[in-house]
Amino acid sequence: MPNAQNKEMLASIKEDLDGVSAMWVVDYRGLTVKEMQQLRRDIRETGSVLKVYKNTLVHLALSEAELPTLDDMLAGPSAFVFSGNDVAASAKALKTFAKANQNLEIKGGLMEGAAVSAAEVEAIASLPSREQLMAQIAGAISGVARGLATTINGVPRGLAQVVAAVAEQKEAA
């Protein structure tokens, strides 16, 4: 690999791999230029980026980073989706696009340093997004706090009712 262009591309791949939560591998064979542009837009909206690199350079970058080399996935034309914080959103965008366009095939990928299959990527895509999870957690915390406040408020109210009942009994007697 003495080629200077390949060395630059290898450095670019290493930079893309640094700090990502996941990297998905897809086969884009058969997609038109317009479809590829739409896929890039969909991926970009999730805060991720789609890039096309040579499989051998990606293999080399993965081995130098001491990550699984994904040999079984790096065959044929491959595009790579580098996902930031919201891994589920990028996987969901890929899955949605693949349903609409039969030519896109999800091969699998890499998540948190471990290889994942295409089925696992689709399972990740079915997870709620980061914002939905945060909303669910906030709702759960709010529900617990509301229940606790109601319970705490109920104790003095019950005591007041008992005191009032005792006072009425004493007045009646």
Side-chain angles (χ1 to χ4, degrees), residues 15-64:
E15 187 178 307
D16 287 337
L17 283 171
D18 188 39
V20 296
S21 301
M23 178 188 76
W24 311 131
V25 183
V26 296
D27 184 346
Y28 62 92
R29 226 178 326 199
L31 289 180
T32 65
V33 172
K34 269 192 170 179
E35 290 171 336
M36 196 66 173
Q37 288 173 340
Q38 183 60 48
L39 176 59
R40 285 181 192 269
R41 267 193 298 275
D42 293 348
I43 295 298
R44 202 175 309 119
E45 287 175 4
T46 67
S48 303
V49 63
L50 180 130
K51 293 187 178 181
V52 177
Y53 290 121
K54 292 180 181 179
N55 290 337
T56 54
L57 292 177
V58 171
H59 173 81
L60 191 57
L62 289 172
S63 64
E64 286 181 13

Side-chain angles (χ1 to χ4, degrees), residues 85-89 92 111 124-141:
N85 293 334
D86 201 352
V87 174
K92 195 172 295 191
M111 183 171 155
I124 292 166
S126 64
L127 294 173
S129 70
R130 182 180 176 93
E131 289 78 24
Q132 289 172 325
L133 285 174
M134 295 295 214
Q136 289 173 355
I137 291 170
I141 291 171

Side-chain angles (χ1 to χ4, degrees), residues 62-142:
L62 289 172
S63 64
E64 286 181 13
E66 298 179 1
L67 294 169
T69 55
L70 309 176
D71 290 330
D72 54 331
M73 295 175 211
L74 298 179
S78 298
F80 305 92
V81 176
F82 297 94
S83 181
N85 293 334
D86 201 352
V87 174
S90 63
K92 195 172 295 191
L94 279 176
K95 183 178 177 182
T96 303
F97 191 88
K99 278 186 179 179
N101 298 287
Q102 299 300 320
N103 290 330
L104 183 75
E105 176 194 348
I106 300 171
K107 294 181 179 181
L110 194 65
M111 183 171 155
E112 300 295 334
V116 292
S117 69
E120 291 171 314
V121 174
E122 292 192 20
I124 292 166
S126 64
L127 294 173
S129 70
R130 182 180 176 93
E131 289 78 24
Q132 289 172 325
L133 285 174
M134 295 295 214
Q136 289 173 355
I137 291 170
I141 291 171
S142 173

Side-chain angles (χ1 to χ4, degrees), residues 146-165:
R146 190 176 318 120
L148 183 62
T150 303
T151 303
I152 290 172
N153 197 21
V155 171
R157 186 179 323 126
L159 182 62
Q161 289 172 348
V162 168
V163 170

